[in-house]
Amino acid sequence: MSRRYHPNIILTGTPGCGKTSHSTTLVSQLGAPYQHIPVSDAAKERKCIESYDEVFDTSVVDEDKLLDSLEVDLEKGGIIVDWHCCDIFPERLIDLVVVLRTNSSLLYERLQKRNYKENKIQENLDCEIMEVILQDARESYIPEIVIELNSNSVEEMDENVDRISAWVENWVKDHPEGVTNELDPEVAAAAAAADGMDSDDE
């Protein structure tokens, strides 16, 4: 049975909220075997881009292919996932979801500096204001593993990294025998039963 001895963490939030800065600083602080995977880069390197959206000037990711590729990394543990989307990753492989939040006016400035198109900036601002990513995280994972942190300054980033590092240390101490990468048998049985009911309804 496959087990991992280091937690997997998703650092998510709208573009411009500081995911990459947090992730690189966190991995630097934690050291080996922790690894930062910026999903946007990984999707290109692993040929998981299926099309290009010219309206929003962004690549469209083949999420199934991406997940198949990343699952191997996640099963090893110690992965810091850096992406604006979090709900595609199976709950059995994720131990903490950190949703970074940024003040709208500051976020606007950051996205302008990236030369984002105005419609793309507005879409991301709307996403931040409506708490879209935070809600996705809360709906996709148990509440206990989802935390929301402010990311408006270098000082806040340093505090956040220290807080996450402390959490990692505690997780390792609390799981000396690691955790399984397999789906909980009771959860699997319930899912199978639900699928059976769905089939009967058709």
Side-chain angles (χ1 to χ4, degrees):
M1 183 179 288
S2 172
R3 301 184 73 81
R4 65 181 182 278
Y5 295 87
H6 299 276
N8 292 318
I9 300 171
I10 297 176
L11 274 168
T12 188
T14 52
C17 71
K19 298 184 295 296
T20 300
S21 297
H22 275 75
S23 298
T24 53
T25 305
L26 179 61
V27 168
S28 176
Q29 186 160 315
L30 291 172
Y34 292 91
Q35 178 186 356
H36 168 216
I37 296 185
V39 174
S40 295
D41 293 342
K44 294 173 185 174
E45 292 167 4
R46 303 180 187 197
K47 296 180 171 53
C48 299
I49 303 297
E50 62 180 14
S51 62
Y52 187 78
D53 185 336
E54 293 186 6
V55 175
F56 289 105
D57 189 25
T58 188
S59 298
V60 178
V61 175
D62 181 334
E63 294 182 351
D64 290 335
K65 187 176 181 181
L66 174 70
L67 188 56
D68 286 343
S69 170
L70 291 177
E71 196 159 341
V72 177
D73 298 289
L74 291 169
E75 287 180 348
K76 295 175 184 176
I79 300 299
I80 312 300
V81 177
D82 159 9
W83 205 27
H84 59 270
C85 175
C86 66
D87 56 2
I88 74 164
F89 301 99
E91 190 171 357
R92 64 186 172 83
L93 295 176
I94 302 301
D95 304 290
L96 181 68
V97 181
V98 180
V99 183
L100 299 175
R101 305 297 309 281
T102 301
N103 175 278
S104 296
S105 59
L106 181 57
L107 187 62
Y108 184 86
E109 292 175 8
R110 291 178 181 177
L111 297 181
Q112 267 195 323
K113 289 179 181 178
R114 294 186 180 187
N115 295 316
Y116 274 29
K117 291 181 177 179
E118 193 62 34
N119 63 329
K120 189 174 181 179
I121 292 177
Q122 194 56 54
E123 181 195 33
N124 284 302
L125 287 175
D126 290 344
C127 181
E128 180 68 16
I129 292 167
M130 299 297 291
E131 301 185 339
V132 172
I133 295 175
L134 178 62
Q135 292 306 318
D136 283 349
R138 287 174 172 167
E139 290 171 6
S140 303
Y141 304 94
I142 58 172
E144 290 79 7
I145 72 167
V146 178
I147 63 172
E148 177 185 5
L149 297 175
N150 289 325
S151 175
N152 297 300
S153 66
V154 173
E155 289 77 17
E156 285 184 342
M157 183 188 76
D158 289 342
E159 290 173 4
N160 294 340
V161 169
D162 286 344
R163 179 176 174 180
I164 298 168
S165 294
W167 178 90
V168 169
E169 290 178 12
N170 287 329
W171 188 97
V172 173
K173 289 177 183 176
D174 292 342
H175 301 86
E177 297 180 3
V179 296
T180 179
N181 286 317
E182 312 305 324
L183 188 63
D184 184 296
E186 293 182 7
V187 174
D195 286 343
M197 291 175 63
D198 290 342
S199 299
D200 293 341
D201 290 341
E202 292 176 359

